[in-house]
Amino acid sequence: MTVSGATQRTRPAMGGFWWRRLGRSRVVRTFGPFVPVVLAWWAVAELEFFPAAFFVGPDVVVAEFAELIKKGILPAYLSDSVTRLWTGVVFGLLIGIPAGFLVAMSRWARRLTWPLLMFFQAIADIAWLPIVIVWFGFSLTAVTFVIVYTIVFPLMISIVAGVEQVPRDMVRAARSLGAGRFRVFTDVILPGALPAVATGIRTGLGYGWRALIAAEIIVGTSGIGFMMFDARRAGEVTGVFVGMIVLGILWFALDALVLAPFERSTIERWGMIQTAEVAR
Amino acid sequence: MSTLEIKNLHKEYVDAYTGETVTAVGDVSFSVDRGEFVSILGPSGCGKTTVLNVVAGFDKLTSGSVEVGGKPVTAPSPERGVVFQSFALFPWKTVLGNVAFGLRMRGVPRREREPVARQYLELVGLEGFERKFPHELSGGMQQRLGVARVLANEPEVMLMDEPFASVDAQTRRKLQEDLTDIFQAKRPTVFFVTHDVDEAVFLSDRVVVLSSRPSTVAEIVTVPLERPRNWRSVLENPDFRHTVTHLTDLLAGGRAHGEEQAERLSGRVDSSSEPPVRADAGGES
């Protein structure tokens, strides 16, 4: 108590006024951390530690980025990748969320499926690719299968954990207020497990995104993963760099535009997740 | 006719780790009349919460009978709303949504349940907080919401499981006074579990004292205090101290000099002039 109070009081003296004001700006907070990284990258490229065939600077990458957009390759590939991810995610959520709640709510479903869940969860998504290619060929179905597979298991497991964490008293309160089994599920279990569902979707999407790139590299006929692999084959490092950066930006956008606002308006609004005390 | 009738309640359970059969409640019988406030008091681990859980329908009894309004208890029901120590409010519902929850579950249309919900919020002093979420309220306000949520259902009996045990001492005093006021205004039937002797005496018409395990009813003590009650006047009342001392002795195992000590204490009450000091003396005895 006293220790944290003391550090808080000394912080302004050390940081300075302008620094604190800068730190409050959203733009600075989002992009600030990238400034030293980009500068270091530039420096390493300019000083030519590595031959230009292996390592290119940000200026070259930006130029290539513009070029790829002008040629229409990047937008086309990007939309292919996003369509695949979207298809996979929609099916993944449609299967994973009900299956997760079914296993969580029914003792029998749990007993029957838990060992299977553990077993199949352990087989890496990409390990399915060889057999999936045999079954579905180099098609959207093959890629979707892998994404759905990666999303479903972490989602189910986190939903089961989430349902178990719904406080017993909350369920009892609902029952003693007149809620039957179904209403307990819809009005208590479902919203009560939402933090876990959100975590599950976040993890699932992250895995799905990675699986997609891996699948595109192997199955690829188009897409960001294919673009990167194709550039490597042609010996053009710049294309690989562009691909990596696009992946990062896309995840960033997904988080900032979809996941974070959803969490802010639900579980954070309801005070269901505590903001960490450690890194205040 | 009594609202809550417990006859020879006996509850055993099998310990999940050791596999042994444990008796949680030995043999408990008592009744609560309509509009009466009855507390159950006992040493920790004597199974008072188990009694409440059986009445609420959360736990099944092993033998004996529990009837509310003449009907045997089989499952949880809105006739037996519970106020929890953990509050157990729904964090995703607003204050109004929490109070109206029971009405909604019973199929009361929206237009009818909102005025009722508002009326109960007013009863517990939460008007103006309708659109807030529970985590935005203080602990004391959260528990008042817990009470309003149960009362809005107009249950046969309101069950309260150490509802003020997790709020700070000052807030607890305030909540106890608020609860007697609400009781005075609405006259619900209340069954209250506590380990706090002062609280039991301050709130109740009668106090059921349980012995330690296997628990039986040691004594049912009638509280000789007038209503309405507030701490200021109750603390100055010798009957209050007398009852507290008697109950404290019962809990300590029914020491023979209990009466004598009570006499001495009440004597001191009369000669002293500072209420806080007297409260401390009572708490220690």
Side-chain angles (χ1 to χ4, degrees):
Chain A
M1 190 69 184
T2 40
V3 174
S4 74
T7 44
Q8 246 167 27
R9 242 172 280 128
T10 53
R11 196 179 282 165
M14 283 161 66
F17 183 68
W18 65 273
W19 181 248
R20 271 192 301 150
R21 237 174 105 170
L22 212 63
R24 249 180 253 142
S25 147
R26 222 182 136 82
V27 180
V28 172
R29 275 219 310 247
T30 310
F31 297 105
F34 289 101
V35 173
V37 176
V38 173
L39 284 178
W41 173 23
W42 203 320
V44 170
E46 284 298 304
L47 293 170
E48 292 183 359
F49 281 129
F50 311 102
F54 291 130
F55 198 90
V56 291
D59 47 340
V60 184
V61 171
V62 170
E64 173 76 7
F65 187 76
E67 181 75 14
L68 283 172
I69 288 179
K70 211 168 70 190
K71 281 190 201 157
I73 295 176
L74 193 57
Y77 279 4
L78 194 59
S79 97
D80 281 357
S81 286
V82 170
T83 309
R84 285 171 194 151
L85 182 70
W86 179 244
T87 318
V89 166
V90 167
F91 282 107
L93 297 183
L94 281 179
I95 297 169
I97 292 177
F101 278 106
L102 185 72
V103 171
M105 295 303 291
S106 149
R107 193 185 302 170
W108 278 108
R110 174 109 52 115
R111 279 189 192 155
L112 286 172
T113 56
W114 199 249
L116 297 174
L117 262 174
M118 287 295 138
F119 177 82
F120 284 105
Q121 188 228 192
I123 306 173
D125 36 69
I126 315 172
W128 277 88
L129 268 178
I131 192 68
V132 166
I133 293 171
V134 171
W135 291 341
F136 304 113
F138 293 88
S139 63
L140 178 63
T141 320
V143 179
T144 311
F145 181 95
V146 173
I147 298 174
V148 168
Y149 189 90
T150 19
I151 291 176
V152 164
F153 290 100
L155 190 55
M156 283 179 73
I157 287 164
S158 91
I159 289 174
V160 171
V163 169
E164 274 171 3
Q165 275 162 21
V166 174
R168 190 186 60 176
D169 280 355
M170 232 180 253
V171 174
R172 288 183 162 185
R175 298 202 61 194
S176 85
L177 289 165
R181 268 179 174 281
F182 180 73
R183 294 316 288 265
V184 166
F185 177 73
T186 56
D187 285 74
V188 181
I189 304 287
L190 226 45
L194 202 62
V197 176
T199 313
I201 291 177
R202 199 178 263 279
T203 331
L205 273 179
Y207 288 169
W209 188 226
R210 279 166 230 190
L212 169 72
I213 301 309
E216 280 181 348
I217 286 175
I218 298 167
V219 184
T221 46
S222 71
I224 301 294
F226 172 75
M227 184 188 83
M228 288 165 68
F229 203 67
D230 201 40
R232 185 211 66 95
R233 210 153 33 198
E236 282 182 30
V237 193
T238 321
V240 181
F241 273 60
V242 170
M244 289 167 72
I245 291 167
V246 167
L247 291 183
I249 292 173
L250 265 179
W251 181 256
F252 221 90
L254 183 68
D255 187 89
L257 299 176
V258 183
L259 298 177
F262 170 72
E263 285 168 12
R264 260 201 304 277
S265 63
T266 55
I267 50 186
E268 274 180 49
R269 178 79 188 87
W270 303 334
M272 284 172 80
I273 44 170
Q274 313 280 305
T275 16
E277 191 64 41
V278 183
R280 271 272 165 89
Chain B
M1 193 194 81
S2 53
T3 296
L4 170 61
E5 184 82 55
I6 299 179
K7 279 186 197 139
N8 305 105
L9 170 60
H10 179 72
K11 169 75 183 169
E12 287 172 3
Y13 65 91
V14 179
D15 190 293
Y17 291 103
T18 61
E20 286 170 28
T21 304
V22 183
T23 304
V25 180
D27 181 2
V28 168
S29 303
F30 66 92
S31 63
V32 181
D33 289 335
R34 176 171 298 279
E36 193 184 22
F37 198 123
V38 171
S39 289
I40 191 163
L41 192 64
S44 59
C46 74
K48 37 189 199 295
T49 292
T50 309
V51 173
L52 182 134
N53 283 342
V54 170
V55 176
F58 301 146
D59 281 350
K60 295 255 180 292
L61 44 72
T62 309
S63 67
S65 77
V66 174
E67 288 182 359
V68 170
K71 282 173 285 184
V73 167
T74 51
S77 143
E79 292 303 342
R80 285 166 273 120
V82 182
V83 179
F84 296 87
Q85 184 185 338
S86 63
F87 311 156
L89 301 168
F90 306 122
W92 48 86
K93 289 193 184 300
T94 59
V95 166
L96 194 68
N98 268 280
V99 179
F101 184 85
L103 300 168
R104 198 160 69 86
M105 289 303 123
R106 284 166 33 210
V108 178
R110 180 187 293 268
R111 211 171 302 149
E112 287 170 43
R113 63 183 184 243
E114 226 187 86
V116 179
R118 282 180 192 280
Q119 178 202 327
Y120 280 94
L121 282 180
E122 200 176 322
L123 177 72
V124 300
L126 282 175
E127 66 270 37
F129 291 93
E130 289 85 354
R131 300 278 155 227
K132 295 271 186 216
F133 284 97
H135 76 107
E136 297 170 298
L137 307 179
S138 69
M141 289 160 88
Q142 290 190 28
Q143 195 56 300
R144 298 214 299 264
L145 176 55
V147 171
R149 182 174 69 169
V150 168
L151 288 180
N153 251 349
E154 295 182 346
E156 287 269 346
V157 54
M158 171 160 72
L159 309 173
M160 304 184 82
D161 187 7
E162 304 200 23
F164 307 141
S166 53
V167 295
D168 64 86
Q170 275 99 48
T171 311
R172 192 179 308 143
R173 286 266 154 123
K174 178 74 173 65
L175 286 172
Q176 288 157 352
E177 290 194 336
D178 291 346
L179 183 60
T180 52
D181 290 345
I182 292 166
F183 180 75
Q184 196 69 23
K186 285 272 166 189
R187 279 284 161 173
T189 309
V190 184
F191 176 52
F192 193 99
V193 171
T194 182
H195 60 255
D196 181 339
V197 179
D198 288 30
E199 177 173 82
V201 176
F202 177 75
L203 292 170
S204 315
D205 297 315
R206 288 187 298 145
V207 180
V208 177
V209 184
L210 294 190
S211 66
S212 49
R213 272 191 196 180
S215 46
T216 51
V217 176
E219 196 176 321
I220 299 177
V221 177
T222 304
V223 179
L225 296 175
E226 296 292 313
R227 290 183 190 274
R229 300 174 187 172
N230 62 62
W231 276 111
R232 187 76 184 80
S233 65
V234 160
L235 284 173
E236 284 175 357
N237 190 330
D239 287 340
F240 173 73
R241 296 263 49 105
H242 192 276
T243 313
V244 166
T245 313
H246 178 58
L247 289 173
T248 308
D249 287 345
L250 275 174
L251 288 178
R255 280 172 300 172
H257 62 279
E259 289 297 315
E260 186 191 318
Q261 199 177 25
E263 295 276 341
R264 219 181 57 226
L265 251 170
S266 57
R268 206 161 77 193
V269 165
D270 290 335
S271 61
S272 173
S273 61
E274 271 187 14
V277 176
R278 292 201 297 268
D280 287 351
E284 275 161 21
S285 69

